């Protein structure tokens, strides 16, 4: 295929070899942007350059940022860009304490924003951060319909209460909430002095599913949110694996699209959060979808067909739900449904069988 003509604009995407970031990068390249991606090592994005990005290599720049929590880590990377899309996270789930999770996440988020403020240049229009539904949801509220106005104050308080006994999942939720709060606190502190100003927006997705633009060489390297689907499809799990968190799903293609939309619409997106969750998509639902599509794959566990999810993969009547109307309005369309996400992902997974 022929590469589209360059539009002369450079967009920085941090953590470019990640599941969400790589999809954002491909969308940007298809639109004619020059993509500047950061990763911990210079060669970690080689697979993208030889794979999903191979038709656009003349518009791809890779920058190594070994430690994103170091002051000034992104000072050089941000220079001359029109937009910054910050998806990278320094979180390591093998860590166990508040200090391992929260201050590190805050430092990473504020560090790149400070670099953008000081060093990007007057052409900078947009700063978009990948947050999470974890920064919004309060597990103690049921039934409840969450929106962008809500904040997760429960996880931080509970993690502090539990101290060293706090599980990593709870610490992760607290870290996402605190990191996003730090972004908005920065905005409030600096907005009067920002000359010229640039927009700041946040994207808050649920459990991200759907086909990766650059599948890893082996299934064992799949990201965390795709592993339950692979466990079901491959038969690696003989029973239905547990759902991730609340099982609120959204397709990676929709998540990528809203990041790009925010970057391209600085006036409309400035100061906004975009909650993205399209319903409950559980591993049981994935198993039911895959057994119907692949009747010859007897390895797919049966579980209890039709249980633990609603028709159409919607929200339970007496449980938690999420209002994603703002993001859908921005994109001008509905999100990809769970069955389509699962089937498109399975097509990619066939290479591993």
């Amino acid at each position: 295929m022929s590469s589209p003509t360059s539009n002369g604009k450079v967009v920085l995407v941090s953590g470019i070899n990640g599941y969400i970031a790589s999809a954002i990068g491909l969308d940007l390249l298809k639109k004619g942007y020059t993509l500047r991606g950061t990763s911990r090592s210079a060669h970690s994005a080689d697979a993208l350059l030889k794979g999903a990005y191979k038709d656009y290599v003349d518009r791809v720049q890779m920058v190594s940022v070994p430690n994103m929590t170091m002051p000034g880590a992104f000072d050089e990377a941000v220079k001359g860009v029109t937009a910054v899309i910050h998806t990278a996270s320094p979180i390591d789930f093998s860590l166990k304490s508040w200090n391992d999770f929260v201050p590190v996440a805050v430092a990473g988020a504020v560090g790149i924003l400070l670099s953008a403020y000081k060093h990007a240049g007057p052409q900078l229009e947009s700063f978009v951060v990948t947050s999470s539904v974890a920064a919004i949801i309060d597990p103690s509220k049921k039934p409840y319909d969450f929106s962008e106005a809500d904040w997760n104050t429960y996880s931080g308080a509970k993690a502090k209460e539990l101290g060293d006994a706090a599980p990593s999942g709870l610490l992760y939720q607290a870290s996402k909430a605190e990191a996003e709060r730090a972004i908005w606190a920065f905005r409030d502190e600096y907005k009067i002095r920002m000359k010229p100003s640039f927009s700041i927006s946040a994207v808050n997705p649920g459990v991200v599913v759907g086909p990766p633009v650059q599948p890893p060489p082996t299934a064992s390297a799949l990201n965390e949110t795709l592993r339950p689907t692979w466990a079901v499809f491959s038969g690696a799990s003989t029973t239905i694996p547990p759902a991730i968190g609340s099982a609120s799903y959204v397709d990676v293609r929709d998540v990528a699209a809203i990041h790009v939309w925010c970057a391209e619409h600085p006036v409309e997106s400035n100061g906004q959060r975009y909650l993205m969750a399209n319903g409950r998509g559980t591993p049981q639902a994935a198993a039911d979808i895959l057994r119907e599509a692949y009747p010859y794959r007897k390895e797919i566990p049966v579980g209890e067909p039709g249980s633990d999810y609603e028709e159409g993969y919607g929200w339970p009547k007496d449980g938690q739900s999420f209002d994603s109307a703002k993001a859908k309005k921005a994109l001008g369309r509905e999100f990809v449904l769970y069955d389509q996400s699962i089937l498109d992902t399975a097509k990619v997974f066939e290479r591993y069988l």
Side-chain angles (χ1 to χ4, degrees), residues 14 59-60 69 76 239 249 264 272:
S14 67
R59 287 191 283 106
V60 179
T69 65
E76 289 298 318
T239 58
Y249 81 92
E264 292 186 320
Q272 300 299 313

Side-chain angles (χ1 to χ4, degrees), residues 164-177:
D164 291 343
S168 59
L170 188 69
L171 291 167
Y172 169 78
Q173 293 166 5
S175 75
K176 297 304 287 188

Side-chain angles (χ1 to χ4, degrees), residues 90-97 100-101 166-169 171-172 224:
I91 297 302
D92 179 346
F93 279 91
S94 68
L95 303 176
K96 301 296 182 184
S97 74
D100 289 331
F101 271 83
S168 59
L171 291 167
Y172 169 78
E224 184 179 1

Side-chain angles (χ1 to χ4, degrees), residues 126-304:
S126 309
F127 181 96
V128 187
V129 63
T130 309
S131 185
S132 170
V133 73
I136 289 177
I137 190 172
D138 181 338
S140 68
K141 292 183 177 180
K142 290 184 182 180
Y144 193 84
D145 185 33
F146 291 94
S147 73
E148 289 88 353
D150 292 297
W151 279 93
N152 176 6
T153 57
Y154 169 88
S155 296
K158 190 66 176 178
K160 289 178 180 178
E161 176 190 325
L162 293 174
D164 291 343
S168 59
L170 188 69
L171 291 167
Y172 169 78
Q173 293 166 5
S175 75
K176 297 304 287 188
E178 293 302 316
E180 192 192 332
R181 281 188 182 278
I183 292 286
W184 295 120
F186 178 99
R187 176 178 179 264
D188 292 341
E189 179 181 355
Y190 285 89
K191 65 182 178 181
I192 296 174
R193 287 181 278 159
M194 283 183 179
K195 295 179 181 179
S197 63
F198 55 89
S199 73
I200 298 176
S201 54
V203 177
N204 300 77
V207 179
V208 184
V209 295
V213 300
Q214 186 59 49
T218 63
S220 62
L222 288 166
N223 76 297
E224 184 179 1
T225 61
L226 291 181
R227 288 174 190 169
T229 303
W230 168 248
V232 167
F233 186 53
S234 65
S237 178
T238 57
T239 58
I240 302 295
I244 297 174
S246 63
S248 57
Y249 81 92
V250 63
D251 191 277
V252 67
R253 292 164 290 193
D254 293 324
V255 177
I258 199 67
H259 280 83
V260 176
W261 185 90
C262 288
E264 292 186 320
H265 296 80
V267 174
E268 297 93 325
S269 66
N270 190 26
Q272 300 299 313
R273 307 169 86 195
Y274 292 88
L275 174 57
M276 302 191 76
N278 203 30
R280 287 190 76 248
T282 66
Q284 178 66 66
D288 294 350
I289 293 163
L290 291 168
R291 279 199 324 279
E292 181 177 352
Y294 295 85
Y296 55 89
R297 287 201 56 75
K298 305 303 181 184
E299 302 92 336
I300 298 172
V302 175
E304 299 180 15

